[in-house]
Amino acid sequence: MKMFETSTSEKLSATVQNEPVKIAVIGLGYVGLPLARLFATQYTVVGFDINRGRIEELQKGHDSTLEVPDEALKKVLLPSNPLSEYTTVPEGDGEEIQLTNGKGKNGKPKKGLFCTPDLMDIQDCNFYIVTVPTPVDKGNRPVLAPLYMASETVGKVLEKGDVVIYESTVYPGVTEDECIPILERESGLTFNEDFFAGYSPERINPGDKKHTVDKILKITSGSTPEIAKKIDQLYASVITAGTYMAPSIKVAEAAKVIENSQRDINIAFVNELAKIFNLLEIDTHEVLKAAATKWNFLPFTPGLVGGHCIGVDPYYLAQKAQERGYHPEIILAGRRMNDSMGGYVASQVVKCMIKKDIPVSNATLLMLGVTFKENCPDVRNTKIVDLIESLEDYGVRVTTYDPWAKPEEVEREYGIKTQNHLSNIQGSTFDAIVLGVSHDEFLSMDLQPFQNKNSVVYDVKGVLENTTGKL
Ligand SMILES: NC(=O)c1ccc[n+]([C@@H]2O[C@H](COP(=O)([O-])OP(=O)(O)OC[C@H]3O[C@@H](n4cnc5c(N)ncnc54)[C@H](O)[C@@H]3O)[C@@H](O)[C@H]2O)c1
């Protein structure tokens, strides 16, 4: 593994054409905002997003994804665009240099972050980092429209010497074969002569306050050896965990997509084990615990695979493989297994109810958690919805409580009503309680007041004691 230690002087030598580093981050979501905030501690950063509501909340110093604490955001926020105002900065012996429209060759624009929905605000940047979503459609085919649109946006403001770095998760080839032609068309510039590109996949883990963006080793790559080094130095100047410079953009793209595919396949394997051990009436978690005492046993646990990374990225790789005439067997088998788990868990809960002589039709059930993972407000592609729908198919009446999810968002996305205040469910008791997401709040919650005399308690995450059943 190649690691780059970068000094401040090397960092400054990474500037384009001796201009200061001026970064535009396109797409300020779970990935873009933490990255923009981090770069803004050292550089001038303009964050661009087409969602005006998102820009408004960020400029007020609040991140509704909860990835960047408000204090940390406010610390770097700039009230106006440092690249479009005349300003003076102290320099060297106290002399002040006037910047003209952010283009000053001798001065430095203010460091910090300014967020905007206005394209003109990013026109003077020299590094463009694209962090827009790459979802799949209902048929699990990759949707590259946001990436194409973001490339058109950047193409409109691209100038000679600029560098465009893609971070969105894609299949190998998207950057060079699909995005670069858009940049060339929109800008009228020539790739690798007038402007350059790179790919640096993001490994951030929403809700994880330990592995934050600066503490996760970052893969980098560039369209020429010099640009690869420049991009690597730029990231290494803010990522304390270090960087790994991949030999090509395609290698970097492929590395990201297989990281998540590998996780998906491993989880699919333990989900299959859970189905087998449930038939054999053996506790899967105990089996995994025992097996994990071997030095090279991989510690995966069964569960619902939701969100927009692990459950999505394998389809990107599969699509590219199929285009080349190869039908991926293991990758797609993993996806099928993991996508079947919502329905499977519902059937297990219903079995537990029947064993306790609880009439299933019109039974009341409390679902704890609706987000796609613990301690995170993100409900996109959550598989808890599959579980709720399957339970409702059996005639069970489900009440959902999640202190992290926004009820209006869940209703808009899925048509499901949720409660986010405990007081709204207090006083009610249920025939069954299902722990679907292991938010910290649930780990210390007393379930007794919500149970009927004969209630089922089912634990999807394997974290509760004294349950009727678990996955
Ligand atoms: N969230 C994660 O855990 C995670 C981790 C690693 C990689 N990724 C990848 O990073 C990429 C971004 O994911 P995310 O979770 O941050 O998405 P997100 O939906 O949270 O944020 C994307 C942002 O981009 C904005 N946007 C969409 N189209 C745009 C456009 N044309 N121009 C400007 N802004 C636009 C949206 O308004 C949104 O604010 C995806 O490819 C994803 O697979 C995500």
Side-chain angles (χ1 to χ4, degrees):
M1 182 187 293
K2 234 184 298 176
M3 298 272 290
F4 282 81
E5 291 285 320
T6 311
S7 68
T8 310
S9 59
E10 274 177 313
K11 175 182 82 197
L12 293 177
S13 78
T15 58
V16 173
Q17 295 172 348
N18 296 326
E19 274 197 69
V21 169
K22 295 172 288 182
I23 301 170
V25 175
I26 318 296
L28 299 172
Y30 281 86
V31 166
L33 183 70
L35 188 76
R37 204 274 327 162
L38 180 64
F39 273 126
T41 58
Q42 294 206 38
Y43 302 107
T44 304
V45 182
V46 183
F48 172 84
D49 202 296
I50 51 172
N51 180 344
R52 284 177 182 269
R54 176 73 172 152
I55 294 297
E56 264 171 42
E57 69 163 34
L58 294 178
Q59 273 304 116
K60 281 183 192 151
H62 176 62
D63 169 24
S64 59
T65 68
L66 307 179
E67 286 301 296
V68 175
D70 289 356
E71 264 167 52
L73 178 58
K74 283 180 183 150
K75 228 174 172 174
V76 296
L77 264 191
L78 297 173
S80 57
N81 186 355
L83 301 180
S84 63
E85 60 184 13
Y86 286 84
T87 185
T88 53
V89 290
E91 179 81 359
D93 56 3
E95 209 178 298
E96 295 199 327
I97 294 167
Q98 197 171 41
L99 298 176
T100 51
N101 204 22
K103 291 240 174 194
K105 297 265 184 235
N106 305 319
K108 296 188 206 94
K110 275 183 234 162
K111 67 180 182 186
L113 171 66
F114 175 69
C115 302
T116 178
D118 186 351
L119 176 62
M120 289 304 112
D121 279 326
I122 58 170
Q123 64 180 335
D124 287 318
C125 292
N126 45 24
F127 283 92
Y128 292 89
I129 303 182
V130 179
T131 52
V132 297
T134 44
V136 287
D137 66 14
K138 285 204 167 92
N140 292 322
R141 285 176 298 256
V143 176
L144 294 175
L147 210 49
Y148 295 158
M149 206 177 132
S151 301
E152 281 174 18
T153 301
V154 174
K156 287 191 173 75
V157 291
L158 207 59
E159 288 182 5
K160 281 196 175 186
D162 290 349
V163 179
V164 186
I165 305 162
Y166 289 89
E167 286 222 3
S168 302
T169 306
V170 292
Y171 51 76
V174 168
T175 301
E176 288 154 302
D177 305 341
E178 313 215 21
C179 296
I180 300 292
I182 298 174
L183 293 173
E184 284 191 311
R185 189 188 69 216
E186 292 295 320
S187 66
L189 299 175
T190 306
F191 178 48
N192 272 346
E193 281 182 28
D194 300 326
F195 74 93
F196 304 89
Y199 182 79
S200 178
E202 184 51 70
R203 290 166 159 167
I204 205 163
N205 184 24
D208 184 342
K209 301 300 170 212
K210 201 165 141 216
H211 302 99
T212 48
V213 60
D214 53 316
K215 297 195 190 77
I216 304 170
L217 193 138
K218 197 124 171 53
I219 295 177
T220 65
S221 64
S223 55
T224 69
E226 297 73 33
I227 289 298
K229 201 165 174 212
K230 208 167 256 187
I231 291 172
D232 192 78
Q233 287 173 337
L234 180 71
Y235 280 100
S237 68
V238 292
I239 307 275
T240 52
T243 56
Y244 173 85
M245 194 166 69
S248 71
I249 288 177
K250 285 192 176 75
V251 166
E253 290 171 323
K256 168 68 193 179
V257 86
I258 69 156
E259 283 170 24
N260 282 346
S261 301
Q262 186 191 63
R263 248 189 107 64
D264 195 45
I265 290 163
N266 279 306
I267 297 169
F269 172 62
V270 287
N271 275 338
E272 181 156 297
L273 295 181
K275 287 184 177 181
I276 295 169
F277 293 136
N278 283 340
L279 287 171
L280 301 178
E281 296 181 358
I282 302 172
D283 185 326
T284 308
H285 291 270
E286 289 301 336
V287 177
L288 293 172
K289 216 159 97 186
T293 56
K294 191 182 175 205
W295 70 92
N296 59 0
F297 186 82
L298 302 176
F300 285 90
T301 47
L304 304 172
V305 179
H308 32 99
C309 286
I310 299 175
V312 166
D313 300 350
Y315 288 124
Y316 272 70
L317 186 55
Q319 160 91 9
K320 194 66 194 169
Q322 278 160 338
E323 266 175 31
R324 293 296 170 97
Y326 179 79
H327 182 77
E329 293 182 39
I330 293 171
I331 295 170
L332 292 179
R335 282 284 66 242
R336 275 194 303 279
M337 170 59 69
N338 288 341
D339 273 351
S340 73
M341 293 309 285
Y344 174 74
V345 171
S347 69
Q348 292 300 102
V349 174
V350 165
K351 263 189 201 167
C352 291
M353 291 165 82
I354 292 169
K355 277 187 191 159
K356 283 194 152 203
D357 283 331
I358 300 171
V360 175
S361 183
N362 278 323
T364 56
L365 182 144
L366 176 62
M367 175 65 61
L368 294 175
V370 72
T371 61
F372 92 86
K373 67 177 289 194
E374 64 280 1
N375 304 326
C376 168
D378 200 347
V379 295
R380 289 174 298 175
N381 201 22
T382 170
K383 294 297 161 194
I384 297 291
V385 166
D386 293 0
L387 173 52
I388 293 173
E389 284 173 356
S390 300
L391 286 165
E392 287 177 344
D393 277 350
Y394 284 107
V396 175
R397 290 191 285 130
V398 180
T399 300
T400 307
Y401 166 59
D402 191 320
W404 284 79
K406 283 197 190 123
E408 60 280 8
E409 206 176 323
V410 183
E411 180 137 31
R412 190 179 61 237
E413 288 268 326
Y414 305 108
I416 291 173
K417 287 201 188 311
T418 54
Q419 303 295 339
N420 59 349
H421 292 294
L422 195 60
S423 56
N424 291 342
I425 54 164
Q426 256 153 358
S428 308
T429 56
F430 300 87
D431 299 317
I433 299 177
V434 175
L435 178 93
V437 186
S438 52
H439 292 315
D440 287 347
E441 288 86 342
F442 297 152
L443 303 184
S444 55
M445 186 172 159
D446 182 8
L447 299 182
Q448 201 70 48
F450 302 98
Q451 287 175 249
N452 292 332
K453 266 195 207 129
N454 188 32
S455 292
V456 161
V457 176
Y458 190 91
D459 182 5
V460 177
K461 301 295 290 184
V463 291
L464 298 179
E465 282 173 11
N466 304 324
T467 56
T468 322
K470 58 184 169 184
L471 183 57

